[in-house]
Amino acid sequence: MKRQRADELALCMKKLAHPQRVYVRSGRLASTANGLNGVRAALADQVRVLLQQLWKDWEQDATGLDGPASAQQVQEALEPLAADRAVELMSQLAAECLVWPGAGFMERSATDAVARRVAQLLGPGAHWWSNYDPELACYSSAVTPCTFDGLIAGTDGHRFTVLIQVGED
C-alpha cells in the first residue's frame, strides 16, 4: 500500500511538470531527527537535489550567477504554509507562468485536481513550506539563479514532494 501511494505521488507530480519551467521531485525522505526542524532540513536537502537538476538546464542562461542555493539557504527561504494554501499555490505554479501573466502551461482545473490529490496522498498531517511571502504576496526568497522562481514543498515526514517554477523575462 505504501509503495502504491509513493508511485501515485510520483505520477501526480510528473503531471504538474513543464519542460524547463516547472520542475518536480518526489520520493522518500532520509531518516530525520530533531523533530520538525530535522524534517525541514531533510526536505531542504531534497529541494537542493532538484535545484542541481534545474541548474544543469539553466546554466548557460545564468552566466555570471552563482550556482544553486545550498540546502541551508533553501531551508532559510522556507516559510510554513497551511495545506489548503499549499495546494492553491502548487496548482497555480503548475498552471500559470510567473513571468508572463496570462500565459499558461496547463488548465487550472486539471492542476487543481492533481494538487489536491498530492495533498491527499501526503495526508492531513503533512507539513508544507514555500518561498512565498504572504505579507508581500509574492515569491520573495530566490532559491534559483533565475529571475523568477516559486517553490512549494511538502512532506508527511516520510514521503515528500517539491515543485519549482522558474523563468526569465
Coordinates of all heavy atoms in Angstrom, one line a residue, residues 21 98-100 139 142 144-150 164-169:
R21 N 10.5 24.8 -17.2 CA 9.7 25.8 -16.4 C 9.3 25.3 -15.1 O 9.5 26.0 -14.1 CB 8.5 26.3 -17.3 CG 8.8 27.0 -18.5 CD 9.8 28.1 -18.3 NE 9.2 29.2 -17.6 CZ 8.9 30.4 -18.2 NH1 9.3 30.6 -19.4 NH2 8.3 31.3 -17.5
L98 N 4.9 32.5 -14.1 CA 5.2 33.6 -13.2 C 5.7 34.9 -13.9 O 5.5 36.0 -13.5 CB 6.4 33.2 -12.2 CG 6.0 32.3 -11.1 CD1 7.3 31.9 -10.4 CD2 5.2 33.0 -10.0
V99 N 6.3 34.7 -15.1 CA 6.9 35.8 -15.8 C 5.9 36.5 -16.7 O 5.8 37.7 -16.7 CB 8.0 35.3 -16.7 CG1 8.7 36.4 -17.5 CG2 9.1 34.5 -15.9
W100 N 5.1 35.8 -17.4 CA 4.1 36.4 -18.3 C 2.7 36.1 -17.9 O 2.1 35.1 -18.2 CB 4.3 35.8 -19.7 CG 5.8 36.0 -20.1 CD1 6.7 35.0 -20.3 CD2 6.4 37.2 -20.5 NE1 7.9 35.5 -20.6 CE2 7.8 36.9 -20.8 CE3 6.0 38.5 -20.6 CZ2 8.7 37.8 -21.2 CZ3 7.0 39.5 -21.0 CH2 8.3 39.1 -21.3
Y139 N 6.6 35.6 -4.3 CA 7.7 34.7 -4.0 C 9.0 35.5 -3.8 O 9.5 36.1 -4.8 CB 7.9 33.6 -5.1 CG 6.7 32.8 -5.3 CD1 5.7 33.1 -6.2 CD2 6.6 31.6 -4.5 CE1 4.6 32.3 -6.3 CE2 5.5 30.8 -4.6 CZ 4.5 31.2 -5.5 OH 3.4 30.4 -5.6
A142 N 14.6 34.1 -3.4 CA 15.0 33.3 -4.5 C 15.8 32.1 -4.1 O 16.7 32.2 -3.2 CB 15.8 34.1 -5.4
T144 N 16.8 29.9 -6.8 CA 17.4 29.6 -8.0 C 18.2 30.8 -8.6 O 17.9 31.9 -8.1 CB 16.4 29.1 -9.1 OG1 15.7 30.3 -9.6 CG2 15.5 28.1 -8.6
P145 N 19.0 30.6 -9.6 CA 19.7 31.8 -10.2 C 18.8 32.5 -11.2 O 19.2 33.5 -11.8 CB 20.9 31.2 -10.9 CG 20.4 29.8 -11.2 CD 19.5 29.4 -10.1
C146 N 17.6 32.0 -11.4 CA 16.6 32.6 -12.4 C 16.0 33.9 -11.8 O 16.0 34.1 -10.6 CB 15.6 31.6 -12.8 SG 16.2 30.1 -13.5
T147 N 15.5 34.8 -12.7 CA 14.9 36.0 -12.2 C 13.7 35.7 -11.4 O 13.4 36.4 -10.4 CB 14.5 36.9 -13.4 OG1 15.6 37.1 -14.2 CG2 13.9 38.2 -13.0
F148 N 12.9 34.7 -11.8 CA 11.7 34.4 -11.0 C 11.7 32.9 -10.6 O 12.1 32.1 -11.4 CB 10.4 34.6 -11.9 CG 10.2 36.0 -12.4 CD1 10.7 36.4 -13.6 CD2 9.5 36.8 -11.6 CE1 10.5 37.7 -14.0 CE2 9.3 38.2 -12.0 CZ 9.8 38.6 -13.2
D149 N 11.3 32.6 -9.4 CA 11.1 31.3 -9.0 C 10.0 31.2 -7.9 O 9.8 32.1 -7.1 CB 12.4 30.6 -8.6 CG 13.0 31.1 -7.3 OD1 12.3 31.6 -6.4 OD2 14.3 31.2 -7.3
G150 N 9.3 30.1 -7.9 CA 8.3 29.8 -6.9 C 8.5 28.4 -6.5 O 8.6 27.5 -7.3
I164 N 8.9 23.4 -8.3 CA 9.6 24.7 -8.5 C 9.3 25.2 -9.9 O 9.5 24.5 -10.9 CB 11.1 24.7 -8.3 CG1 11.5 24.2 -7.0 CG2 11.7 26.0 -8.6 CD1 13.0 23.9 -6.8
Q165 N 8.8 26.4 -10.0 CA 8.7 27.1 -11.4 C 9.7 28.1 -11.5 O 10.0 28.9 -10.5 CB 7.3 27.7 -11.6 CG 7.2 28.3 -13.0 CD 6.0 29.2 -13.3 OE1 6.2 30.2 -13.9 NE2 4.8 28.8 -12.8
V166 N 10.4 28.2 -12.6 CA 11.4 29.2 -12.8 C 11.1 29.9 -14.2 O 10.4 29.4 -15.0 CB 12.8 28.6 -12.9 CG1 13.2 28.0 -11.5 CG2 12.9 27.5 -14.0
G167 N 11.7 31.1 -14.3 CA 11.6 31.9 -15.5 C 12.4 33.1 -15.6 O 12.9 33.6 -14.5
E168 N 12.7 33.6 -16.8 CA 13.4 34.8 -17.0 C 12.6 35.7 -17.9 O 11.8 35.3 -18.7 CB 14.7 34.5 -17.8 CG 15.8 33.7 -17.0 CD 16.5 34.5 -16.0 OE1 16.6 35.7 -16.2 OE2 16.9 34.0 -15.0
D169 N 12.7 37.0 -17.7 CA 12.0 37.9 -18.5 C 12.9 38.6 -19.5 O 14.1 38.4 -19.5 CB 11.3 39.0 -17.7 CG 12.2 39.9 -16.9 OD1 13.4 39.6 -16.8 OD2 11.7 40.9 -16.4

